[in-house]
């Protein structure tokens, strides 16, 4: 509780109590996420939910700070129209502020020598995840299998190659009768939001490291202008 408060205080956030109430954090069993933040339009606190399965303190801290970053963005979104808010959630801007906060949290733990080994490990995982997301987004554009892919709102399903054949699909129907085709699922919606969001978060973090006030000023301008730098 105190470490999270110290991180927020170190960032230089005003009115921390509006963003962070440790006693009102909710915990649920989450299968596909470590946590989420509900936009309550400032009507009530206690809008942060974390997975009840988090068992490591550094992961808890970074995930909580990440969700507080969403809560910080909610303040700026409160003056936007409903359409503008929906657009913010539908594009790659929604993970910028949260990624910025998460990166600051890990940097703070390392700098202050607090759970430093675990913090360095999580920072490495952060960059590995970012690399994987950006590599996927870069490669998917030229993937020759896209012509045989199936799409839905969030995923691409690409036919997996048979290890014994160069081609998974054969135009000869007789040869295909007993062949089971398998697909590999890619969540491109998540990769876009977290990939590009983390990149922009890195941009603001680099400025923040050199000058805290200037970094926060540029971040606030970004949040206030629906993604305009």
């Amino acid at each position: 509780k105190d470490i999270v408060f110290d991180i927020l205080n170190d960032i230089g956030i005003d009115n921390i109590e509006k963003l962070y109430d440790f006693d009102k954090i909710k915990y649920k069993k989450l299968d596909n996420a470590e946590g989420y933040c509900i936009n309550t339009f400032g009507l009530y606190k206690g809008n942060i939910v974390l997975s009840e399965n988090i068992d490591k303190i550094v992961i808890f801290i970074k995930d909580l700070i990440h969700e507080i970053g969403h809560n910080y963005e909610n303040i700026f979104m409160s003056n936007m129209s409903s359409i503008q808010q929906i657009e913010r959630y539908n594009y790659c801007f929604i993970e910028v502020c949260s990624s910025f906060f998460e990166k600051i949290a890990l940097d703070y733990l390392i700098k202050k020598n607090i759970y430093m080994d675990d913090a360095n490990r999580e920072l490495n995982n952060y960059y590995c995840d970012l690399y994987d997301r950006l590599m996927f987004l870069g490669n998917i554009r030229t993937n020759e299998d896209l012509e045989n892919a199936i799409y839905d709102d969030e995923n691409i399903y690409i036919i997996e190659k048979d290890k014994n054949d160069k081609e998974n699909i054969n135009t000869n129907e007789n040869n295909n009768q007993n062949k089971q085709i398998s697909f590999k699922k890619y969540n491109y919606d998540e990769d876009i939001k977290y990939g590009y969001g983390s990149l922009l978060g890195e941009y603001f973090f680099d400025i923040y490291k050199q000058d805290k006030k200037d970094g926060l000023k540029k971040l606030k301008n970004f949040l206030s202008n629906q993604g305009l730098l």
Side-chain angles (χ1 to χ4, degrees):
K1 178 179 180 178
D2 292 337
I3 292 174
V4 173
F5 182 88
D6 289 342
I7 293 172
L8 295 175
N9 191 53
D10 188 67
I11 293 173
I13 300 299
D14 296 328
N15 300 319
I16 294 175
E17 65 277 1
K18 290 184 177 181
L19 295 174
Y20 172 53
D21 189 336
F22 187 85
D23 295 328
K24 292 189 177 181
I25 298 170
K26 300 175 183 177
Y27 301 93
K28 292 183 179 180
K29 184 177 181 181
L30 304 175
D31 295 328
N32 298 317
E34 299 295 342
Y36 59 85
C37 178
I38 305 167
N39 186 353
T40 65
F41 306 98
L43 296 178
Y44 63 89
K45 296 181 182 179
N47 56 334
I48 292 176
V49 179
L50 292 180
S51 171
E52 63 184 19
N53 297 322
I54 298 176
D55 58 357
K56 295 185 178 180
I57 186 65
V58 170
I59 295 177
F60 179 88
I61 291 171
K62 80 173 184 66
D63 288 344
L64 177 53
I65 292 286
H66 180 104
E67 300 309 328
I68 292 174
H70 283 299
N71 219 11
Y72 186 65
E73 182 169 19
N74 287 341
I75 296 174
F76 295 87
M77 291 175 64
S78 62
N79 294 323
M80 299 179 187
S81 69
S82 57
I83 294 177
Q84 287 174 322
Q85 293 194 39
I86 291 172
E87 287 178 346
R88 167 79 74 168
Y89 280 112
N90 284 341
Y91 294 106
C92 60
F93 305 131
I94 196 59
E95 295 298 333
V96 176
C97 187
S98 56
S99 296
F100 172 78
F101 270 52
E102 180 178 339
K103 183 68 183 295
I104 286 179
L106 292 172
D107 182 72
Y108 180 91
L109 295 176
I110 293 169
K111 182 174 62 178
K112 298 293 184 179
N113 198 17
I114 303 171
Y115 305 111
M116 192 169 68
D117 289 343
D118 286 342
N120 274 307
R121 188 178 300 110
E122 289 306 315
L123 182 61
N124 182 68
N125 292 338
Y126 174 92
Y127 281 120
C128 286
D129 288 343
L130 175 58
Y131 175 83
D132 288 343
R133 293 184 190 283
L134 296 178
M135 283 295 293
F136 164 70
L137 292 173
N139 292 335
I140 198 66
R141 295 182 301 108
T142 56
N143 193 311
E144 62 182 8
D145 297 321
L146 283 181
E147 61 186 42
N148 297 317
I150 297 174
Y151 300 82
D152 62 23
D153 290 340
E154 296 182 346
N155 304 296
I156 299 175
Y157 301 87
I158 297 177
I159 296 174
E160 290 189 303
K161 295 289 186 181
D162 192 316
K163 294 181 179 179
N164 299 318
D165 300 319
K166 290 185 178 180
E167 295 295 333
N168 194 293
I169 297 181
N170 193 311
T171 54
N172 188 325
E173 293 185 2
N174 292 328
N175 292 337
N176 259 334
Q177 287 179 353
N178 298 319
K179 180 176 285 188
Q180 185 174 359
I181 297 175
S182 59
F183 291 86
K184 188 169 184 179
K185 175 182 174 181
Y186 295 94
N187 189 321
Y188 66 86
D189 179 73
E190 185 174 283
D191 285 335
I192 289 172
K193 289 179 179 177
Y194 283 93
Y196 291 134
S198 295
L199 272 186
L200 278 171
E202 284 289 312
Y203 167 79
F204 291 114
F205 178 77
D206 286 343
I207 298 173
Y208 170 87
K209 286 287 287 184
Q210 299 175 43
D211 187 326
K212 282 188 177 182
K213 289 185 178 179
D214 188 41
L216 282 177
K217 179 180 178 181
K218 284 184 167 57
L219 177 69
K220 290 176 181 178
N221 288 340
F222 171 83
L223 296 176
S224 299
N225 289 282
Q226 297 87 55
L228 300 177
L229 293 175

